Amino acid sequence: MNQPAPVTWKSRWTFILAATGSAVGLGNIWKFPYITGENGGGAFVLVYLACILLIGIPVMIAEIMVGRTGRSDPIHSMLALSRESGGTKVWGLVGGIGMIAGLMIMMFYSVVAGWALEYVFQSVSGNYHGADPAQIEAHFNELLTSDSQQLIWHSLFSFITATVVAAGVAKGIGKAVEILMPLLFLFLIILVGYSAINGDFSAGLHFMFDTDFSRLSGDAILIAMGHAFFTLSLGMGAIMAYGAYFPGHASIGKTVMTIAVLDTVIALLAGMAMFPLVFANGLTPGQGPGLMFVTLPVAFSNMTGGVFFGSLFFALVSIAALSSSISLIEPGVAWLEKQNINRRLSTYGLGLIAWVGGVASIHYSAVFDALDYITANIMLPLGGLLIALFVGWRLDPKRVLDETGMANGPLFSAWRFVLRFIAPFGILVVFLHSLGLFSALQALFD
Ligand code: PFF
């Protein structure tokens, strides 16, 4: 019997778009600007960039390499490489934990994405135009306390995500990112232009790039490291699953640089689309998660073109969320497909599980917070640590060299050194910190 041809992306560029789509999401537009705001701005951005370079990029190369070599879902790819190198089956667990982490992230991610969809609707209807800040804040609080409102938007977002994934890798995810990503970039450029013309651009620039290390707490360094994982979609097999469909044998190093640079540039541009508007309206950016859902609509509400550009902004956020959420369930779907369960059934089944978790997140904010906390601070760093150790220490360096497609030179040696020593050490620090916080929290409740 003939083996079916392996599923691959149309080209290396589709892979880059899909992986960038996974990386660029609520993390860049919702989380990054507010944690930058909360942690003092410039110095935080610098530490975050260092984390991307020293932990994010090396681990991403490792993940794609494992996926492309294993050519399967994260569990089977890890198992195959482990078997080949004489390792134990336990390594397969890394893929398994990652798949579960993906579903857990989806359980709160789709709720926030639902808010963004609701805001597209509100902005397009012009409901924020001329509204005063108290009204806008009251609306957000109303949304947060209305289970039924959130349920509608959460369900709609979950359904759209599942529909894209169910349509397949090339025809669903690949097609979607080929349309969504250029659109996302276009919207972002327009918004940065609008912000440059109508906002206080220099205040925004100063805020993001003035480095005052005295304002940087130890906690901020750890938050920056955790965010490097979250924003690059690392530690849970999303990028590994996408890597399994990587066509050909091009160097992974260059591809990863492109993805990491795009993700970082988009996070910085998102900041430049938001902060100047916030400052021009005499508002402050250090207000936490409400930055995007309260401060920014307040800014748009009293600016010319606010209805159009506000709508554009929330459409941008929704697109970014969708191109990420599809990668949260793909690893699990790929695994179920490998068990001969049809793709449609796998996708809607996993989508339903995530949807139920989302309903719990809507109703119990403690569930929402716990899912966010456990995935970002424990599961992703743990997954990343294990992947770094697996590729850095378990696999044969010659095989690794061959499979990354990199030249055998100083760049490869530097990558391997960072992967073996620097990244695990950095991740361990984040991880222990999270555990420390964890026990402190527990002590608080005892
Ligand atoms: N990288 C996404 C963001 O920044 O919003 C979040 C994410 C997507 C994390 C996919 C992990 C993942 F596998």
Side-chain angles (χ1 to χ4, degrees):
M1 214 173 77
N2 281 343
Q3 283 281 19
V7 177
T8 58
W9 306 108
K10 208 163 78 191
S11 71
R12 187 176 81 99
W13 268 100
T14 310
F15 170 78
I16 291 178
L17 290 179
T20 306
S22 169
V24 175
L26 295 171
N28 301 62
I29 310 175
W30 174 61
K31 226 174 178 182
F32 177 72
Y34 90 71
I35 56 178
T36 300
E38 278 178 341
N39 291 289
F44 178 83
V45 173
L46 214 63
V47 175
Y48 160 80
L49 292 178
C51 294
I52 294 282
L53 200 68
L54 291 177
I55 301 178
I57 291 175
V59 171
M60 190 184 269
I61 295 176
E63 274 205 33
I64 297 176
M65 187 228 105
V66 171
R68 185 169 73 173
T69 310
R71 289 269 179 232
S72 190
D73 62 89
I75 296 186
H76 285 94
S77 292
M78 289 291 289
L79 276 177
L81 265 72
S82 174
R83 192 177 318 117
E84 187 194 283
S85 65
T88 80
K89 279 189 168 173
V90 177
W91 288 109
L93 273 180
V94 178
I97 295 172
M99 274 165 22
I100 295 170
L103 285 184
M104 288 169 69
I105 294 175
M106 185 63 182
M107 291 174 186
F108 69 90
Y109 207 79
S110 58
V111 175
V112 182
W115 301 343
L117 283 182
E118 202 264 356
Y119 270 64
V120 175
F121 177 73
Q122 292 290 341
S123 320
V124 171
S125 334
N127 287 356
Y128 288 137
H129 192 61
D132 64 51
Q135 271 172 310
I136 291 174
E137 193 168 355
H139 173 78
F140 188 50
N141 289 334
E142 240 165 63
L143 178 66
L144 292 190
T145 46
S146 164
D147 283 13
S148 57
Q149 274 290 314
Q150 292 187 77
L151 191 68
I152 295 172
W153 299 104
H154 156 66
S155 304
L156 179 63
F157 183 81
S158 305
F159 181 74
I160 298 173
T161 302
T163 306
V164 173
V165 178
V169 172
K171 290 202 182 110
I173 303 178
K175 274 255 152 51
V177 297
E178 279 165 13
I179 300 168
L180 295 177
M181 296 315 287
L183 214 57
L184 184 147
F185 210 68
L186 177 73
F187 285 7
L188 189 58
I189 297 296
I190 295 176
L191 282 160
V192 173
Y194 175 74
S195 168
I197 294 168
N198 294 289
D200 187 345
F201 212 65
S202 98
L205 277 177
H206 277 297
F207 179 71
M208 285 195 65
F209 299 107
D210 282 357
T211 44
D212 175 3
F213 279 97
S214 66
R215 293 180 61 193
L216 197 71
S217 66
D219 225 31
I221 297 175
L222 298 157
I223 292 172
M225 279 207 255
H227 188 66
F229 273 102
F230 189 82
T231 190
L232 290 178
S233 305
L234 297 176
M236 56 137 290
I239 295 294
M240 198 186 279
Y242 276 9
Y245 315 126
F246 195 118
H249 201 78
S251 165
I252 293 176
K254 273 191 220 131
T255 306
V256 166
M257 285 311 289
T258 312
I259 299 164
V261 167
L262 281 173
D263 182 70
T264 307
V265 167
I266 291 175
L268 297 176
L269 285 178
M272 290 319 296
M274 297 170 75
F275 291 128
L277 298 183
V278 168
F279 286 121
N281 284 276
L283 304 163
T284 51
Q287 285 163 341
L291 177 65
M292 192 174 104
F293 291 106
V294 178
T295 316
L296 208 64
V298 168
F300 280 124
S301 73
N302 51 38
M303 301 181 72
T304 21
V307 172
F308 177 75
F309 290 99
S311 307
L312 206 64
F313 177 78
F314 286 104
L316 163 79
V317 178
S318 307
I319 290 174
L322 178 63
S323 64
S324 297
S325 62
I326 51 184
S327 73
L328 287 167
I329 47 178
E330 174 58 27
V333 170
W335 180 72
L336 286 175
E337 264 195 308
K338 186 95 181 166
Q339 318 298 316
N340 285 325
I341 300 177
N342 127 346
R343 186 171 183 96
R344 212 158 258 287
L345 189 66
S346 310
T347 310
Y348 287 107
L350 289 183
L352 188 67
I353 294 173
W355 178 83
V356 171
V359 174
S361 291
I362 287 174
H363 195 69
Y364 302 102
S365 65
V367 171
F368 182 112
D369 293 342
L371 286 169
D372 183 5
Y373 184 86
I374 293 169
T375 51
N377 296 329
I378 299 177
M379 295 177 88
L380 300 189
L382 180 64
L385 172 67
L386 292 173
I387 291 162
L389 295 178
F390 180 67
V391 175
W393 295 89
R394 177 75 247 170
L395 298 185
D396 171 25
K398 279 206 209 72
R399 174 101 167 111
V400 172
L401 172 69
D402 192 39
E403 290 299 343
T404 54
M406 289 162 83
N408 190 6
L411 216 61
F412 176 78
S413 308
W415 166 65
R416 216 167 151 263
F417 176 80
V418 175
L419 190 74
R420 284 160 66 95
F421 300 102
I422 315 268
F425 180 73
I427 297 165
L428 215 61
V429 173
V430 185
F431 193 48
L432 291 179
H433 170 78
S434 309
L435 283 183
L437 257 187
F438 214 39
S439 43
L441 270 177
Q442 234 164 16
L444 210 70
F445 288 115
D446 277 347

